[in-house]
Amino acid sequence: MQIPCEIDQVRTLKKGMKIILAIDEEHVKETLKDIHNFMDRALIVNIKINSEIEQDKLYKITPDQRKKIFAIIKDIANSTGADKEYVREELTKKFIQGTGYSEFSLSNCDRQLASDFIEYLIEFAFEYGVELNEHPKNIIDDIEAYIRICNKRKICAICGRPAEIHHVDTIGMGHNRNKVDDSDKRKIALCRKHHTEAHQIGWKEFSEKHHVIGIV
């Protein structure tokens, strides 16, 4: 059985790889019929890949990034009472002005640009107290970027409450933290509750439990 399709997503798993294929409307019925006949048998698939097209996709915004951007914009719009399209246009302008990026479209912009825009929107939400439906830690692909925003805004990386800086790498007894250079030490912003928990159970267990890291 041969099915004309395109690779939609590729995900690396702990054991192997997951490839999601996209089939056009013209071949859906035929494919469903054939797949049904092969449900109880092994299916061999030959994948022919246009390397130039797939290489280009690697650098383009992903559907997941686009979804996250519009979700954050919706949350900001709901919080401010402004129109979603107005919020998108205004924040896009401010992002361009602050970063030096050229005008872009969310339909085909660069993947790194999309990642930077998501980070910008998260920081904007933090600054103006916008409550997001999805935890920011799950929105930003780069955990270091998320921790950096939390440290900068003094917001707990676990729960979003006002925070203080927790030193993952201890400075040592008898040293004044206000005078010691801690620029080479890993840090994370934690509220009083989670700061206490980090000390009680130890950093290794705390990091594994909450899926966070300390950054220099």
Side-chain angles (χ1 to χ4, degrees):
M1 176 178 63
Q2 292 186 351
I3 304 171
C5 57
E6 294 182 355
I7 295 178
D8 183 59
Q9 293 183 39
V10 177
R11 296 180 181 176
T12 302
L13 307 177
K14 289 183 177 179
K15 294 183 179 180
M17 178 180 290
K18 180 178 182 180
I19 300 176
I20 300 176
L21 304 177
I23 302 168
D24 59 40
E25 292 183 6
E26 182 182 350
H27 299 90
V28 169
K29 289 184 179 180
E30 177 187 351
T31 302
L32 286 174
K33 180 183 66 177
D34 290 337
I35 286 292
H36 179 76
N37 292 332
F38 279 83
M39 287 295 286
D40 58 347
R41 285 177 283 170
L43 177 64
I44 299 175
V45 180
N46 292 322
I47 301 176
K48 296 180 180 180
I49 299 175
N50 184 316
S51 60
E52 292 184 2
I53 293 177
E54 295 305 320
Q55 188 72 18
D56 185 55
K57 286 182 180 179
L58 288 175
Y59 297 100
K60 290 292 178 64
I61 183 174
T62 67
D64 187 52
Q65 285 180 314
R66 194 178 296 110
K67 179 181 177 182
K68 288 177 179 178
I69 288 171
F70 282 113
I72 301 170
I73 289 174
K74 180 181 179 181
D75 289 339
I76 294 173
N78 289 340
S79 175
T80 60
D83 177 73
K84 285 188 293 185
E85 187 59 25
Y86 172 78
V87 170
R88 184 189 66 78
E89 291 178 356
E90 288 301 306
L91 291 179
T92 299
K93 288 178 185 177
K94 292 180 181 296
F95 171 72
I96 290 173
Q97 292 170 357
T99 60
Y101 275 118
S102 302
E103 290 189 13
F104 61 91
S105 169
L106 291 175
S107 63
N108 61 356
C109 67
D110 180 83
R111 184 174 298 190
Q112 183 58 53
L113 184 153
S115 179
D116 291 343
F117 192 36
I118 290 173
E119 185 175 337
Y120 170 82
L121 293 175
I122 293 292
E123 188 163 358
F124 179 91
F126 277 175
E127 183 175 358
Y128 291 97
V130 175
E131 185 174 340
L132 301 175
N133 280 317
E134 186 175 356
H135 196 297
K137 180 162 63 72
N138 300 327
I139 299 176
I140 299 181
D141 294 328
D142 184 352
I143 185 63
E144 287 193 16
Y146 170 69
I147 300 299
R148 183 170 62 250
I149 293 174
C150 291
N151 289 357
K152 179 180 178 181
R153 296 292 174 185
K154 297 291 180 66
I155 292 176
C156 180
I158 311 302
C159 66
R161 290 196 288 263
E164 54 196 19
I165 297 299
H166 169 70
H167 287 77
V168 176
D169 299 316
T170 56
I171 293 177
M173 296 292 291
H175 290 86
N176 187 331
R177 291 190 174 186
N178 295 321
K179 295 181 179 180
V180 173
D181 180 12
D182 65 352
S183 59
D184 62 342
K185 306 293 185 182
R186 291 176 298 158
K187 297 176 283 289
I188 182 173
L190 298 174
C191 67
R192 182 59 58 86
K193 173 186 174 182
H194 288 109
H195 199 163
T196 300
E197 181 187 5
H199 283 293
Q200 287 177 338
I201 67 177
W203 175 251
K204 186 177 185 299
E205 184 177 339
F206 183 86
S207 176
E208 292 174 353
K209 176 182 177 182
H210 294 288
H211 308 289
V212 292
I213 62 172
I215 64 169
V216 174

